[in-house]
Amino acid sequence: MTGAVGRVLVAEVARLRERRPGSPPSVLDVGGGSGAWAVPLARLGCAVTVVDSSPNALAALQRRARESGVHDLVTPVQGDVDALAEVAPPDAADLVLGHGLVEVVDDPDRAVAALRAAAAPGAAVSVLVAGRHAAVLSRTLAGRLAEARALLTDPDGRFGPDDALRRRLDAATLTALLEDCGLRLEVLQGDGVLDGWVPGAVRDGGPSAARAVAELEELAAPVAALREVAARLHALARRPATG
Ligand SMILES: C[S@@+](CC[C@H](N)C(=O)[O-])C[C@H]1O[C@@H](n2cnc3c(N)ncnc32)[C@H](O)[C@@H]1O
């Protein structure tokens, strides 16, 4: 797993392995889709349960897991985050993911509360969500000023009724969402901070250009001013060991 999010997850898995050697960390990936995160985590040796409302996504997940040789470590479960307790035991997962989920659900507070409830005491919850300010900038640069204005002023950070997303967040709203659910924020960083702004001619410059972009991205991810304009915001927050 690469990128800022990948690095944080790899470190968390290493921490879990050190604490309980010989037993695969249990990961619950809610809204895990076709396994963009679940399959790499299974390749790290985690036992990953993917809960997703879409049967098509789960079928794609199974194909991907088979192709990667980790079919036995990935369990697909059709279910809704709003009824997570029906398909995932409470207080159990070593690591819970909700990536690309908060921006599409009906009620973000309820969704994050469900992620927290599924996490074992002391376990981490990883949330990756669409950033509001990157969308404002990109619409502005494209000359779509009415949409940029709506993204900036709409309480949910939407550009209008045709917006496929229910909301976009910024650092403050993501922090509040997690902390109000009783999670302790440990990491808040940008994902896709600068790479989207790199001109195509530079990006196509071969492996050394790709390396330079990746290094720039790594340096930019934790910088507060830059993460506000990241395409996605990533948070790792921990459920307190007691409570
Ligand atoms: C944008 S995709 C993200 C997939 C993956 N987590 C990733 O980061 O690549 C959102 C996923 O959430 C699922 N989803 C949407 N609403 C859901 C809900 N209420 N409960 C569970 N899954 C949901 C969708 O089916 C889809 O697979």
Side-chain angles (χ1 to χ4, degrees):
M1 275 189 299
T2 55
V5 182
R7 274 191 299 280
V8 168
L9 295 181
V10 167
E12 183 62 19
V13 169
R15 206 186 68 88
L16 289 165
R17 284 190 165 293
E18 210 177 284
R19 249 192 23 205
R20 241 186 15 232
S23 141
S26 66
V27 177
L28 179 68
D29 185 0
V30 185
S34 59
W37 295 99
V39 168
L41 282 164
R43 292 183 72 169
L44 285 181
C46 298
V48 189
T49 300
V50 176
V51 175
D52 199 287
S53 52
S54 158
N56 289 343
L58 292 173
L61 162 73
Q62 281 175 297
R63 278 195 300 278
R64 197 176 198 163
R66 252 193 313 272
E67 281 161 17
S68 298
V70 291
H71 195 234
D72 52 338
L73 282 170
V74 176
T75 307
V77 178
Q78 193 181 353
D80 195 295
V81 67
D82 285 339
L84 192 58
E86 288 174 15
V87 292
D91 311 326
D94 294 323
L95 172 63
V96 178
L97 266 59
H99 288 187
L101 180 73
V102 165
E103 56 269 63
V104 296
V105 295
D106 293 338
D107 183 335
D109 297 293
R110 203 165 59 206
V112 172
L115 301 181
R116 181 196 188 275
V125 176
S126 173
V127 172
L128 186 62
V129 64
R132 175 200 284 248
H133 297 304
V136 174
L137 270 181
S138 69
R139 293 308 192 292
T140 304
L141 289 170
R144 290 152 69 176
L145 301 189
E147 289 183 1
R149 185 189 170 110
L151 283 159
L152 196 54
T153 55
D154 178 71
D156 290 323
R158 303 181 76 217
F159 63 73
D162 295 336
D163 196 332
L165 298 187
R166 305 284 295 269
R167 64 193 60 80
R168 290 177 182 77
L169 275 63
D170 55 31
T173 48
L174 177 56
T175 302
L177 177 65
L178 298 170
E179 291 184 347
D180 289 354
C181 284
L183 291 164
R184 290 198 191 124
L185 191 66
E186 287 188 358
V187 175
L188 181 60
Q189 60 178 355
D191 178 46
V193 182
L194 296 173
D195 60 7
W197 307 108
V198 177
V202 174
R203 182 183 295 282
D204 297 342
S208 67
R211 227 179 1 260
V213 173
E215 284 169 11
L216 192 59
E217 192 60 36
E218 181 175 349
L219 291 169
V223 177
L226 290 174
R227 78 176 173 226
E228 282 292 0
V229 293
R232 291 163 299 280
L233 288 170
H234 175 237
L236 190 87
R238 199 167 297 281
R239 179 175 171 177
T242 52

